[in-house]
Amino acid sequence: MNEFDRAELAAFLRRWRARVQPADVGLEAGHRRRTPGLRRQEVAQLAGMSVDYYIRLEQGRGPRPSRQMIGAIARALRLSEDERAHLHHLVGEMPGPPPGPRRDVRPGVAHLLDRLDDTPALVCDAKYDVLAWNAMAAALLGDYSALPPGERNVIWRFFTDAAARDRHDAEGGRRFARESVADLRAAAARYPRDAGIRRLVDRLLAASTEFGELWAEQDVQVRRSTSKRLRHPLVGWLDLDCEALHDPYQDQWIVLYTAAPGTPSHEALRLLKVVGTQDLTTS
């Protein structure tokens, strides 16, 4: 273990506390804030530690924080992986691998989804759990709120639910199968201690021969933007651009489905905005 730089740690904490806005962590700004950023009490509350302990750290007179405490402070201050690693170095230790994918969606991202009333959009974590979605995503892909939380996983549905698989054309389905498995393997390496990823892989290996064959190939590939051809039970086939925007602070993906203006697919999305998730199929 290396030297603990109390003075530099104190300066780093003060600087980053001033940069985080209350809205970034779901707090009301109020009208009596005399300094920018969060209050010390708020950081302590978000990190699950005593206010006195956090104050002593900011004053450069606290004890060396444990690895768990460093992680709690990093989450409270919304540090990136690079900033989190720097925090570990200031305390005098090497950072370990992150414990697991983040599941909390930043408030600003949630607000963005709600404002996209004509664009299907959702947020996935590193193992393809769907964490948030808007009304248009429910209209296009199905209402995730109707599924138990443990079943809201894109890869699980693709490999185990024939209806979800049939939404893809044959070529697109094969491409998604290969790319998603390669991306999941990259996530498993990134989060070697995460029990959720291990459980998902074990369930998929037991449920799908195709997944097992692809997993055995050991391909690694991080998710990228692509194009998709998806079939909707009401409006038929849609040719869509699938933009995957990475949020490095959370290691989450904001996925947007768009169609070129003036195309049949664009008109189909406009129709989906009107009909929503209602079941208009005939018996």
Side-chain angles (χ1 to χ4, degrees):
M1 188 173 288
N2 299 321
E3 183 179 353
F4 174 22
D5 192 337
R6 283 182 171 84
E8 187 64 24
L9 172 65
F12 180 84
L13 294 177
R14 293 193 300 269
R15 184 166 60 251
W16 279 100
R17 177 169 60 84
R19 294 186 181 187
V20 180
Q21 299 305 308
D24 296 337
V25 294
L27 297 175
E28 294 290 338
H31 302 290
R32 297 184 178 180
R33 291 182 182 268
R34 292 174 292 181
T35 57
L38 299 178
R39 298 186 177 104
R40 288 170 171 171
Q41 305 94 293
E42 292 168 337
V43 176
Q45 180 182 1
L46 291 168
M49 65 179 64
S50 74
V51 177
D52 178 68
Y53 180 87
Y54 181 76
I55 290 175
R56 284 187 289 145
L57 288 179
E58 277 206 5
Q59 293 177 342
R61 57 187 183 87
R64 185 194 300 269
S66 66
R67 180 180 291 271
Q68 292 77 11
M69 197 62 73
I70 296 170
I73 294 171
R75 288 191 296 273
L77 295 178
R78 297 301 193 261
L79 300 185
S80 69
E81 289 303 317
D82 290 340
E83 294 153 358
R84 184 188 301 261
H86 181 63
L87 183 59
H88 277 272
H89 289 306
L90 291 178
V91 174
E93 66 171 42
M94 294 298 294
R102 298 281 295 272
R103 296 192 60 82
D104 55 309
V105 177
R106 292 193 292 136
V109 174
H111 295 159
L112 173 64
L113 261 63
D114 290 339
R115 293 179 64 86
L116 293 172
D117 62 352
D118 61 351
T119 302
L122 51 82
V123 178
C124 293
D125 68 6
K127 65 177 182 296
Y128 286 66
D129 275 356
V130 179
L131 307 177
W133 61 93
N134 63 7
M136 281 295 290
L140 176 66
L141 303 171
D143 188 1
Y144 288 98
S145 66
L147 297 172
E151 301 297 311
R152 297 172 190 171
N153 182 277
V154 176
I155 298 180
W156 173 257
R157 293 186 68 204
F158 179 85
F159 282 101
T160 65
D161 184 345
R165 178 68 174 256
D166 288 344
R167 285 181 177 265
H168 298 255
D169 66 334
E171 179 182 352
R174 288 191 293 269
R175 183 174 67 248
F176 178 80
R178 182 170 296 279
E179 292 177 354
S180 63
V181 172
D183 191 27
L184 183 60
R185 180 171 284 282
R190 197 158 63 250
Y191 300 103
R193 295 180 291 161
D194 183 63
I197 292 179
R198 292 197 299 271
R199 282 195 301 269
L200 175 61
V201 172
D202 289 343
R203 292 177 67 200
L204 284 164
L205 289 172
S208 171
T209 301
E210 179 187 13
F211 177 87
E213 293 172 349
L214 291 171
W215 186 258
E217 293 181 10
Q218 297 191 335
D219 289 341
V220 176
Q221 177 179 322
V222 177
R223 182 183 334 206
R224 293 178 175 86
S225 298
T226 186
S227 59
K228 288 182 179 290
R229 183 168 171 79
L230 299 177
R231 179 168 53 190
H232 188 274
L234 175 64
V235 300
W237 288 104
L238 299 92
D239 294 304
L240 302 172
D241 294 317
C242 181
E243 298 294 337
L245 310 179
H246 188 233
D247 178 355
Y249 293 97
Q250 306 287 96
D251 194 14
Q252 294 170 355
W253 292 90
I254 306 164
V255 184
L256 310 173
Y257 295 87
T258 62
T263 63
S265 295
H266 186 259
E267 294 302 313
L269 286 180
R270 294 180 61 186
L271 176 59
L272 285 179
K273 179 180 178 180
V274 175
V275 301
T277 59
Q278 63 181 291
D279 185 4
L280 297 182
T281 58
T282 57
S283 57

